[in-house]
Amino acid sequence: MILLQYFEPETQNWQQIDFSTLPQQLSADARVWINLNDANADELQQVLQHFAITPTMAEDFSRQRHPPKLETQADYSLLILRGYADADFSEYASSAQVNLLYSHNVLISMIKCHNPHLLQQLTPQLIAGHRNTVADWVKQLTLNVAASYLEKLIAFEDELSELEDNMLHRGNDEQMALMMRYRSVLRKINRNLAYQKDIFADALYEENSPLLQQFGRPVVRDFYEKFERLHSMTDMYYDQLSDLVSGYMSTSSHQINDRMKVLTMISSIFIPLTFVAGIYGMNFEYMPELTWPAAYFSVLALMAGGGVAALFWFKHKGWW
């Protein structure tokens, strides 16, 4: 289904109209927003052909999943962004895919998001009697995409601090598994943020960048700084989690080494004693020591002395 909102310059009002009634030539003051969230493939192609979108740009816009990118051809620009739609970083279902195809007075949007609250934020707002500009819509949607990450990252900072305290005092394998999941999610969203940061970074250094012409350098710089800050935060949190994982592994290895040291000392004491007991447990008929009156107590004393001597040796070496 194609949802089309048309701003009539004469009445200064927004109205929802059928796509078939859209004027072929739009006036300079007209505004059109076409929502293709629930459109099928045929309706999507109908809209793209109506506005004479180039095949390569139409193909990228039509894809359900596409890395963030910016492309400009003729009168239209294609901006693909990804927002964060999950409640936290413990699980990663999928990103909110924001596909925007826009010109001076036309915005074609296709947004796939499983989070209803975020989907509402990523929907252009129509104000009665107000002539919304396409540039303002795109700007607001870009800021909302950045905000979808920032909100979760700020909340995650406190959770990470609590997790760090727990790992230092009473770390366990369950918390270790949670940290590994956090690292996996942060690595995925870090790639999305890197793509989006590079889009605006490249625009700042291009003399004839379409983004600079559409929004101006201060706005594009603001976009870049927001995504660069988010990218840096995910890098920092990922490094902190990596340090916690390494610290937990080092602590676990140290504990295992201590246990192995105890087992080694016990084995070093009892293996010689077992050897002696094994010798005198053999059923040979002629064993001279069997006829000695003090043989039993002498062997016990020898075995006890050997065990005590081994303990003193370990103590001298500082093993316990």
Side-chain angles (χ1 to χ4, degrees):
M1 181 175 62
I2 302 174
L3 297 178
L4 191 151
Q5 298 288 343
Y6 179 70
F7 182 81
E8 177 57 54
E10 295 180 0
T11 61
Q12 295 289 304
N13 283 320
W14 288 94
Q15 53 183 325
Q16 184 170 332
I17 64 174
D18 188 78
F19 181 72
S20 60
T21 63
L22 181 67
Q24 189 68 28
Q25 296 294 330
L26 299 174
S27 64
D29 294 334
R31 297 289 182 272
V32 176
W33 168 42
I34 302 176
N35 184 349
L36 298 177
N37 293 356
D38 300 319
N40 57 40
D42 293 336
E43 292 171 334
L44 177 59
Q45 291 303 318
Q46 180 184 358
V47 172
L48 297 177
Q49 290 174 5
H50 176 87
F51 291 100
I53 304 301
T54 58
T56 56
M57 185 179 290
E59 181 182 358
D60 289 342
F61 177 81
S62 303
R63 293 177 61 179
Q64 297 292 330
R65 288 181 55 83
H66 194 287
K69 69 171 295 185
L70 172 68
E71 182 180 354
T72 300
Q73 295 182 6
D75 297 330
Y76 285 88
S77 296
L78 171 64
L79 179 62
I80 300 178
L81 300 173
R82 282 185 178 179
Y84 190 75
D86 292 316
D88 53 34
F89 295 141
S90 59
E91 297 292 343
Y92 182 81
S94 62
S95 299
Q97 183 83 14
V98 181
N99 294 359
L100 303 176
L101 190 60
Y102 62 94
S103 66
H104 172 69
N105 54 357
V106 176
L107 172 65
I108 306 172
S109 67
M110 185 172 66
I111 301 172
K112 302 300 180 182
C113 178
H114 63 272
N115 185 329
H117 178 66
L118 179 59
L119 180 60
Q120 183 179 5
Q121 292 180 336
L122 295 176
T123 301
Q125 302 299 312
L126 304 179
I127 304 175
H130 186 271
R131 184 184 303 174
N132 304 79
T133 66
V134 173
D136 289 339
W137 279 338
V138 176
K139 175 183 177 181
Q140 189 58 48
L141 292 176
T142 303
L143 294 176
N144 287 341
V145 167
S148 69
Y149 292 94
L150 182 61
E151 179 183 358
K152 307 300 189 306
L153 287 170
I154 291 177
F156 183 67
E157 185 175 5
D158 295 333
E159 187 173 355
L160 182 58
S161 298
E162 182 179 354
L163 181 60
E164 186 174 6
D165 293 338
N166 292 335
M167 290 300 296
L168 290 175
H169 296 94
R170 49 185 181 279
N172 53 48
D173 292 341
E174 183 178 350
Q175 292 175 337
M176 177 71 169
L178 179 61
M179 289 191 300
M180 297 301 292
R181 288 201 303 272
Y182 281 152
R183 287 208 316 168
S184 176
V185 174
L186 286 173
R187 185 165 53 245
K188 293 174 182 177
I189 68 173
N190 186 269
R191 289 197 296 266
N192 291 338
L193 291 170
Y195 283 128
Q196 292 169 125
K197 178 192 71 172
D198 291 342
I199 288 175
F200 302 109
D202 294 341
L204 285 174
Y205 294 102
E206 292 181 6
E207 290 293 335
N208 299 319
S209 170
L211 283 179
L212 291 180
Q213 298 174 4
Q214 295 161 0
F215 302 103
R217 185 172 295 274
V219 174
V220 176
R221 182 176 296 278
D222 182 54
F223 291 160
Y224 166 73
E225 290 177 350
K226 280 182 167 55
F227 283 104
E228 196 280 331
R229 188 180 305 113
L230 293 170
H231 185 257
S232 298
M233 290 176 69
T234 56
D235 276 339
M236 179 181 66
Y237 293 156
Y238 183 85
D239 290 341
Q240 288 180 336
L241 287 170
S242 299
D243 291 342
L244 287 177
V245 170
S246 299
Y248 178 75
M249 295 298 293
S250 298
T251 302
S252 299
S253 298
H254 180 71
Q255 293 173 347
I256 292 174
N257 289 337
D258 286 341
R259 296 188 183 101
M260 292 302 298
K261 185 186 296 184
V262 173
L263 292 175
T264 301
M265 288 190 294
I266 293 174
S267 299
S268 299
I269 292 173
F270 282 95
I271 287 177
L273 303 184
T274 304
F275 174 73
V276 174
I279 289 177
Y280 289 103
M282 293 186 294
N283 294 320
F284 290 118
E285 181 178 358
Y286 298 104
M287 294 184 68
E289 293 86 350
L290 296 179
T291 60
W292 294 356
Y296 173 71
F297 299 103
S298 299
V299 171
L300 285 182
L302 178 64
M303 294 170 67
V308 172
L311 288 176
F312 277 107
W313 174 257
F314 296 146
K315 184 67 174 179
H316 174 70
K317 290 294 185 179
W319 292 3
W320 65 283

